[in-house]
Short mmCIF file of all heavy atoms in Angstrom, two decimals:
data_model
loop_
_atom_site.label_atom_id
_atom_site.label_comp_id
_atom_site.label_asym_id
_atom_site.label_seq_id
_atom_site.Cartn_x
_atom_site.Cartn_y
_atom_site.Cartn_z
N TYR A 504 5.14 7.02 -0.42
CA TYR A 504 4.96 7.25 1.01
C TYR A 504 4.00 6.17 1.51
O TYR A 504 2.84 6.14 1.09
CB TYR A 504 4.36 8.63 1.28
CG TYR A 504 5.32 9.77 1.03
CD1 TYR A 504 5.68 10.15 -0.26
CD2 TYR A 504 5.86 10.47 2.11
CE1 TYR A 504 6.55 11.19 -0.49
CE2 TYR A 504 6.74 11.52 1.89
CZ TYR A 504 7.08 11.87 0.59
OH TYR A 504 7.95 12.91 0.36
N CYS A 615 1.24 -13.46 15.83
CA CYS A 615 1.02 -13.97 17.20
C CYS A 615 -0.01 -15.11 17.17
O CYS A 615 0.16 -16.14 17.82
CB CYS A 615 0.55 -12.85 18.12
SG CYS A 615 1.76 -11.55 18.40
N ARG A 690 -3.54 19.13 31.61
CA ARG A 690 -3.18 20.11 32.64
C ARG A 690 -3.53 21.53 32.20
O ARG A 690 -3.98 22.34 33.00
CB ARG A 690 -1.69 20.01 32.96
CG ARG A 690 -1.33 18.77 33.75
CD ARG A 690 -0.10 19.01 34.58
NE ARG A 690 -0.28 20.20 35.41
CZ ARG A 690 0.70 20.99 35.79
NH1 ARG A 690 1.92 20.76 35.42
NH2 ARG A 690 0.45 22.03 36.55
N ILE A 900 10.67 -16.86 18.67
CA ILE A 900 10.49 -15.86 17.61
C ILE A 900 10.38 -14.47 18.22
O ILE A 900 9.63 -14.26 19.18
CB ILE A 900 9.26 -16.21 16.73
CG1 ILE A 900 9.03 -15.13 15.66
CG2 ILE A 900 8.00 -16.42 17.54
CD1 ILE A 900 8.05 -15.54 14.57
N TYR A 1065 -1.77 -5.32 51.94
CA TYR A 1065 -0.39 -5.06 51.50
C TYR A 1065 0.54 -6.15 52.01
O TYR A 1065 0.55 -6.49 53.20
CB TYR A 1065 0.08 -3.69 52.01
CG TYR A 1065 1.57 -3.53 51.90
CD1 TYR A 1065 2.19 -3.39 50.65
CD2 TYR A 1065 2.39 -3.55 53.04
CE1 TYR A 1065 3.56 -3.29 50.54
CE2 TYR A 1065 3.76 -3.43 52.94
CZ TYR A 1065 4.35 -3.30 51.69
OH TYR A 1065 5.70 -3.20 51.58
N GLN A 1166 21.01 -9.51 35.26
CA GLN A 1166 21.89 -10.41 36.02
C GLN A 1166 21.56 -10.33 37.50
O GLN A 1166 21.90 -11.22 38.27
CB GLN A 1166 23.36 -9.98 35.85
CG GLN A 1166 23.89 -10.06 34.43
CD GLN A 1166 25.28 -9.45 34.36
OE1 GLN A 1166 26.26 -10.16 34.39
NE2 GLN A 1166 25.36 -8.13 34.28
N GLN A 1210 23.67 11.78 29.99
CA GLN A 1210 22.54 11.51 30.89
C GLN A 1210 22.13 12.75 31.67
O GLN A 1210 20.96 12.99 31.90
CB GLN A 1210 22.90 10.37 31.85
CG GLN A 1210 23.15 9.05 31.16
CD GLN A 1210 22.09 8.77 30.11
OE1 GLN A 1210 20.90 8.97 30.33
NE2 GLN A 1210 22.51 8.33 28.94
#
Side-chain angles (χ1 to χ4, degrees):
Y504 288 73
C615 294
R690 287 207 53 210
I900 178 167
Y1065 165 70
Q1166 297 173 98
Q1210 296 315 317

